[in-house]
Amino acid sequence: MAYDPRPVEPSIYKRWLEAGVFQPRADGEPYVIVIPPPNVTAELHVGHALNNVVQDVLIRFERMRGRAVEWLPGTDHAGIATQNVIEKQLAAEGKTRFDLGREAFVERVWQFVRATGNTILEQLKTIGCSCDWSRTRFTLDPAYSRSVREVFVRLWDEGLIYRGHRVIHWCPHCLTALSDEEAEHHETQGNLYHIKYPFEDGSGFVTVATTRPETMFGDIGLVFNPKDKRHAALKGKRVKIPLSGVVIPIATDDAVELGFGTGLLKVTPAHDANDFEIANRAWPKEDKPLIMTEDAHMEKSSRVPVDLQGLDRFEARKKIVKQLENQGLLVKVEQHQHSVRRCYRCDTIVEPRLSDQWFVKMKPLAEPVLAAYYKGEYDLVPERWRASYENWMKGMRDWNISRQLWWGHRIPVFTCTNGHQWADREDPTSCPKCGAKVEQDPDVLDTWFSSWLWPFATFGWPEPTPDLQRFYPGHTLVTAPEILFLWVSRMLMSGYHFMGKRPFRTVYLTGTVRDTKHRKMSKSLGNGVDPRAVVKLYGADALRWTLIAGSSIGADVILDPNDLDTTFAPGRNFANKLWNIGQFVLGQLPQSVPSIDAIDRRSLTLADRWILSRAQATVREATASLEQFRLDEAAKRCFEFAWNELADWYVEAVKPRMTGASAATPQAVLAYCFDLGLRLLHPVVPFITEELWQKLPMRKTGELLATAQWPAVRPDLEDPRADREFGRVKIAIEQIRSIRAEYRVTPKTKLRATIVARGNDKPATFAGERDTIVRLAQLESLALDGVPLGVGAHAVFGDGSEVVVALEGIVDVSNECRRLSEEYHRLDKQLQSLSARLTNESFVSRAPQDVVAKEREKEKAWRDQRDVLAKKLESLGCS
RNA sequence: GGGCGAAUAGCUCAGCGGUUCAGAGCGCCUGCCUUACACGCAGGAUGUCGGGGGUUCGAAUCCCUCUUCGCCCACCA
C-alpha cells in the first residue's frame, strides 16, 4: 500500500493549529527565531521553501527539547516592490500614481495588500512551517510604525541622521533614490567613446573617453593626473564641449587613473559620484548642473542643445554619437566591458544623480557590532563569510534612507515656514519654537529602515512588553547570503545600538537554489521549481526531505526543474518506506504495548540488544548534528536507522518471534524503536511522522508528536558487544546471499551452510541468531561445528572465521578456485602494502603509536584471513 | 581590481590527514510479486577524488600553481 500525503498533510496541520502547539509554552528557556519577513505581495518560491524549512527543522527540534519556542512570522511592506506592483496595475488602466494623488494611491495599495497580501504565509503552512501565527507582524502595523519612528527620532537626536547633498543612485523608473546595496552591479558589454573636445582658441583638440556621452553637457571641466607628463601642457587651458559649445577648464586630480583611456577625464559632477568629489576639489565654487530629468530625459536647459532636449538618455546617446561622427568629433568607439548598476527591483540602469537625501552615519553603528563579532558574541555559519562580512562592515558608507515613494513609513521630519526643522514622535500642528505652520518631509523611509528593527520591533519595542523581555535577544537567524549586508548586518547594528545586546547568537546562511546549470532560480529565467507543485505531486515531506537531506550546511542546492521525479523521489520513497514500516509495526502491536523497561532484560536477544544499541547511537549522532546545524547529517543518520537498520535487519530478523507468548519482548523493542525513529525524524518530515505517531497504541490521548519529547540517550541500552556480534551475523548472511547470487542458485533452492568460528567470538555468538541466519539467507540448515560439507563455496571473515555453503552438484570447482584466488590476491596485495608500511622504520617511529598498533592488529587479521584462503585453495586442489 | 566558494561514480552530493575512505541517494545491470513496502527486496558494475608541483612515514583530505564554473565586493571614466 502506498502512502498518499495529500489527504494527510492538511488535516495534520489543522490539528497542530487547533492544539495551539506553535505558540511558546509558558515555562522553559526561550528559543527564538524571527522569520526573514517576505514581501507582503510575494508568492512562495523554492528559495523561501529552503529557508523556512531550515528554520522549521530547528524550531521543531528545540520545541521537542522542551524550549519555549517562538518562531515569529510576518511580512515586509517592501516599499519599492509593492509600489511597483500597484503602479503597473495603474499603468494598465492608463493612469499614474500622480493621477490618484498620494492619499488615494496609498489607500489603493492598502486595499491590495489587505486583499492579496500574506498569501505567502498561508503557503508556508502547506510546507509545514510551525510559526507562532498568533504573533504575526507586518512592518506597517501601527505598533511597528511607532518603533520605526522612535528609532528615527532617537538617531536624529543623537546627530546620526543628516541631510546630504551628494550624488546618489537614482532609479529613473521607480523615481526614487536607492541605497548602495540596492543598486546592483552587473557586468555589461558597452562602448567607450573617444570624443574630441576642441580648444577654446581653436588651436586643436584633446580626446576624452567616456561610456556615457550624453552626460557631457553636464561637464564642468576636464582633469588629468598631475603625474601624467603627456598632458602637462594642458593645465589652465580651456575647451569647448562638443555640440553645445559650453567652455570648460582643464585641471589636475589624483583620482584620474594613469593608464586608462586617454588620461583625460570629463567631470560631470551632478551625474557621477566620483566626478562630484573631483569637482569639489578642483572647482569647489562651480555649479553642478543637472542635465537630466528624474525619469532620465535630457533636461530643457541652456546647456543641452535644443534638438536633444526631452529625449530619453539612450536615444540622446545614439543621436549624440551620430552628430559627433558627422562633425568629425568622434575619434573611435571601443568595445568596453564594464560594470553597470541596476535597480534591484526593476532592473533599470541606475542614473547617478545629485540630490538632497537623508543619510544615517554608519560608523558609530557599525564599529561596536564588528567589535562584538571579534569577541565572538555572535557567529556566522558557515564561517567562510567572515572575510566578506568584515570587509563590508569596515568599508560601509553612510546609508541613504530616503525614498521618493509614497508606500512606506513617512519620514518624521518637520519644517516650519520659518525654517525650524526637527524630527517628531507625533505629528505636530504648529512649530513648537515659533508657532508657524509646519510641513512634513514628503519622502518615505527605505524599507530596510523598518526591517532592520525586526528582532525587537515585533515584540513591542520601545514598550517594555513581556514579550520583549522574554524573546529578545533571539537565537538563530536563518537567511540567504544575498541579504547579509542589506539586512542582517543592519539588524545587528540596531540590536546593539537600541537594545544594547546582540539580536541573535547565530546567523545561519543558507545556500542558493539553482538549476542544473547552476543558474539562480528566477521567474525571469523560467527555471524555477514551484514548491506548491511539488507539494501537490509528492507531498510537503518529500519537498522538505530533498531540501534538507540534499544539501549540506550553507551549500547551494541544485534542483532539476525538468525532472521533478528524480529530484523528489528520495523523499517520496522514504516517506513511503516509513509508512510501510508503520503498517508492519502497528500490525504487530497489541493494545497495551509493554514498555521497554517493563520487560525482563534477560529475554532480549542479540538482535534486540543490537537495534536498541543502534537506536542510542542514532540519538547521539542526530542530536549532535542538529546542534551543529548539520541538518543533512542528522536527516541521513535517522534515515539509515529507520531503513537500513530497523527495517532491513531488525524487522526481518524479528518476524518469526512476533507470535505467541514470547512476542512481548520484540513488541516492546519494536514499539520503542519505531517511536524513537518517528521522534527523531519529526523535525524533517513532520507530517508523516505525526500521522504515524497518532496511531501508536501507547500514545496518550491528545498528545502530539510535535510537542513530544526529544529522545535522550539511554546508556543502559548501549551495547557495543551486541553491535559487534550482530555485525558478524549480518556479514554471515550477506556472504551466503552473495555466494548464492554468484552461483546463480535460485532463491527457492534451500542451501546448507556451516560456520567455522576462529576469532574472539565463539560459535555461541551465532547460535543465538541461528534461525535468523537460516531465514534471511534462505538456508535449509546451518551448522556451527565446522564439519566439512563436501564441495562448497567459502567466504572468509575479517578474523579468519569462515562460512561454507554446500554446493554439491551446483558449484563448479574451477569457478570457486578462481573466485577464492581473486580474493586471495586482492587480500595479499593489501597485506603486502600494509606490511611494507609496518616495516618502514620512519612510519613506525613517526606515526602515532595508536595508529601503528591498529595497523599491526589489522595486519594480523588480514594474515589470518589470507592463510585460511590459502588452505582452502589447497584443499580444493586449485593450482 | 579585491575577496570567497566549487571541481569526487552517468546525475545531485557526502567525506576534508591515518579503522577496506574511495561512499550515499537517484540512474544502470542481474534475480526476485519472500504474507509492511515493486515508491519494494536481494545481489552487482561504475570513479588515475579537475591538471601539475610540493609538504608528510602517509593526501580526495594540507600548501603552491594552472584550468573551468559560480558568487560577493569595488568611484578605471
Side-chain angles (χ1 to χ4, degrees), chain A residues 507-718:
Chain A
V507 177
Y508 177 113
L509 295 161
T510 62
T512 308
V513 184
R514 299 174 187 283
D515 67 11
T516 48
K517 289 183 189 131
H518 294 222
R519 297 175 307 181
K520 200 187 277 192
M521 288 197 172
S522 72
K523 251 189 212 160
S524 51
L525 280 173
N527 61 344
V529 167
D530 181 358
R532 291 165 295 173
V534 174
V535 169
K536 279 200 193 103
L537 283 167
Y538 308 100
D541 285 333
L543 171 71
R544 295 171 63 112
W545 181 262
T546 293
L547 293 177
I548 295 298
S551 81
S552 70
I553 189 163
D556 287 350
V557 183
I558 312 295
L559 303 178
D560 187 350
N562 299 315
D563 191 359
L564 296 185
D565 219 48
T566 295
T567 308
F568 296 101
R572 182 202 53 186
N573 294 355
F574 181 46
N576 191 244
K577 186 70 182 182
L578 267 184
W579 180 255
N580 279 293
I581 296 170
Q583 296 313 297
F584 175 80
V585 171
L586 294 169
Q588 302 305 325
L589 298 184
Q591 253 332 97
S592 103
V593 187
S595 149
I596 193 73
D597 292 309
I599 56 162
D600 185 350
R601 287 290 168 91
R602 285 166 306 184
S603 71
L604 294 175
T605 65
L606 175 59
D608 295 334
R609 288 187 284 121
W610 173 76
I611 195 66
L612 290 171
S613 185
R614 296 321 297 151
Q616 306 318 310
T618 309
V619 173
R620 194 183 291 285
E621 290 161 30
T623 306
S625 294
L626 286 172
E627 283 171 345
Q628 293 156 43
F629 300 98
R630 297 301 313 252
L631 312 189
D632 59 321
E633 264 181 21
K636 284 176 193 157
R637 183 62 189 92
C638 298
F639 171 98
E640 258 176 45
F641 174 69
W643 197 321
N644 303 122
E645 295 173 342
L646 185 60
D648 286 352
W649 287 100
Y650 186 70
V651 163
E652 292 307 327
V654 88
K655 273 178 178 171
R657 293 166 60 209
M658 296 314 298
T659 50
S662 61
T665 299
Q667 281 168 356
V669 174
L670 215 45
Y672 169 84
C673 289
F674 188 57
D675 168 78
L676 179 134
L678 291 179
R679 287 173 198 254
L680 293 180
L681 281 161
H682 182 257
V684 182
V685 281
F687 290 107
I688 188 169
T689 49
E690 182 75 77
E691 174 74 7
L692 286 167
W693 202 76
Q694 289 304 315
K695 299 178 192 223
L696 285 178
M698 63 276 198
R699 181 192 64 98
K700 292 197 198 85
T701 317
E703 260 188 325
L704 288 164
L705 179 55
T707 45
Q709 211 174 33
W710 186 256
V713 175
R714 293 189 44 169
D716 60 312
L717 295 177
E718 287 185 299

Side-chain angles (χ1 to χ4, degrees), chain A residues 791-859:
Chain A
V791 179
H794 306 258
V796 183
F797 288 45
D799 65 354
S801 299
E802 61 181 317
V803 56
V804 186
V805 179
L807 290 172
E808 250 164 322
I810 303 169
V811 70
D812 168 356
V813 174
S814 67
N815 193 6
E816 177 65 359
C817 281
R818 185 185 47 74
R819 203 176 66 86
L820 285 179
S821 122
E822 272 171 17
E823 176 69 8
Y824 176 89
H825 287 299
R826 189 186 62 83
L827 196 59
D828 192 55
K829 216 173 129 191
Q830 275 185 7
L831 187 59
Q832 273 174 28
S833 85
L834 182 57
S835 300
R837 210 176 329 153
L838 281 166
T839 50
N840 182 335
E841 166 57 22
S842 53
F843 171 72
V844 178
S845 60
R846 296 204 201 187
Q849 282 314 298
D850 60 319
V851 171
V852 176
K854 263 189 206 163
E855 296 291 77
R856 278 201 209 287
E857 269 176 47
K858 198 161 76 182
E859 187 197 25

Side-chain angles (χ1 to χ4, degrees), chain A residues 66-113:
Chain A
R67 303 276 289 269
V69 162
E70 170 60 25
W71 183 12
L72 185 131
T75 46
D76 192 306
H77 68 280
I80 302 178
T82 308
Q83 178 158 332
N84 275 351
V85 171
I86 306 302
E87 291 201 270
K88 248 181 223 163
Q89 287 182 1
L90 288 177
E93 300 163 21
K95 284 188 257 179
T96 71
R97 65 176 148 127
F98 301 102
D99 295 330
L100 269 70
R102 183 164 192 148
E103 212 169 306
F105 178 81
V106 169
E107 183 44 42
R108 170 128 183 195
V109 183
W110 268 113
Q111 275 172 17
F112 178 79
V113 164

Side-chain angles (χ1 to χ4, degrees), chain A residues 452-488:
Chain A
W452 75 324
L453 314 176
W454 192 247
F456 51 89
T458 47
F459 293 121
W461 186 89
E463 302 304 319
T465 62
D467 269 12
L468 187 65
Q469 280 163 26
R470 192 155 179 233
F471 299 131
Y472 191 96
H475 298 83
T476 312
L477 182 87
V478 180
T479 194
E482 290 101 275
I483 53 176
L484 178 59
F485 306 136
L486 220 41
W487 186 50
V488 180

